[in-house]
Amino acid sequence: MTQANIQIDDIDSRIISVLAADGRRSYADIGTEVGLSTAAVHERVKKMLEKGVIRRFAISVDPERVGLNFTAFVAIRNDGGIHCRDVAPRLRAMPQVEELHSVAGEYDFLAKIRTTHARALEDVIYQIKAIEGVARTTSTVVLNTEFEDRPLDLEWMGADKAGR
């Protein structure tokens, strides 16, 4: 169940964009960029954390530098024997599943999987197929990643709202 959209203003959007690009920026530095005091930025970030707008602060690791050189997207179809909500926690428990999306269409889930090599992906697919409720999978292997882990930039929403 998702929470209703929380209204944020243009300054909050700018703060989010700055933090998304570099979560280590100081509140003083952000304040200078968005035209607020350090205390005002701190208070806005605190409120956005409390409201769940900002979920967490995290680092971004280059997968290849830690040996995760193989990426695939795996579409997963439920067999109807058990509900998809019962399959999802089993997929979440697999550390190789980096993302899991419930999707509409022929398949029920789309998983982004990272492994060290093709044989490791094969092992993960066998584990997925062994989950009760999984009927079949279809895999798409990534040859090259043009970009990913893009920082969220909300500043375009202000222009969009203004009709520009």
Side-chain angles (χ1 to χ4, degrees):
M1 185 169 173
T2 58
Q3 188 176 7
N5 288 344
I6 296 171
Q7 294 295 341
I8 59 172
D9 62 18
D10 288 340
I11 292 175
D12 286 341
S13 293
R14 290 174 61 202
I15 292 170
I16 290 169
S17 297
V18 170
L19 284 171
D22 182 0
R24 296 183 344 155
R25 297 263 307 259
S26 71
Y27 291 155
D29 189 28
I30 295 168
T32 299
E33 188 164 328
V34 302
L36 293 177
S37 69
T38 301
V41 172
H42 180 265
E43 190 59 31
R44 282 176 175 258
V45 170
K46 180 180 169 189
K47 285 181 181 175
M48 288 189 281
L49 281 162
E50 289 169 356
K51 292 177 181 178
V53 173
I54 297 174
R55 293 188 297 214
R56 65 186 168 99
F57 292 90
I59 62 169
S60 178
V61 176
D62 184 336
E64 290 187 12
R65 298 217 181 226
V66 294
L68 296 172
N69 302 313
F70 202 82
T71 304
F73 289 91
V74 178
I76 303 163
R77 186 174 203 178
N78 185 5
D79 68 7
I82 66 170
H83 199 280
C84 287
R85 280 182 241 144
D86 298 322
V87 174
R90 302 275 308 272
L91 294 165
R92 176 185 291 274
M94 300 174 69
Q96 302 91 339
V97 179
E98 186 175 290
E99 297 177 8
L100 182 65
H101 307 274
S102 178
V103 296
E106 183 179 351
Y107 289 89
D108 299 293
F109 294 108
L110 183 63
K112 181 178 182 180
I113 297 175
R114 288 200 197 269
T115 63
T116 52
H117 48 75
R119 181 59 58 116
L121 173 64
E122 183 180 32
D123 293 342
V124 171
I125 291 170
Y126 286 144
Q127 291 173 33
I128 291 171
K129 288 180 177 181
I131 295 172
E132 182 183 357
V134 172
R136 72 179 205 192
T137 64
T138 299
S139 302
T140 302
V141 172
V142 174
L143 299 177
N144 182 44
T145 299
E146 298 298 333
F147 68 88
E148 69 180 346
D149 201 20
R150 177 185 240 170
L152 190 59
D153 182 355
L154 297 180
E155 291 188 57
W156 66 268
M157 288 176 60
D160 203 39
K161 288 179 194 173
R164 289 183 249 163

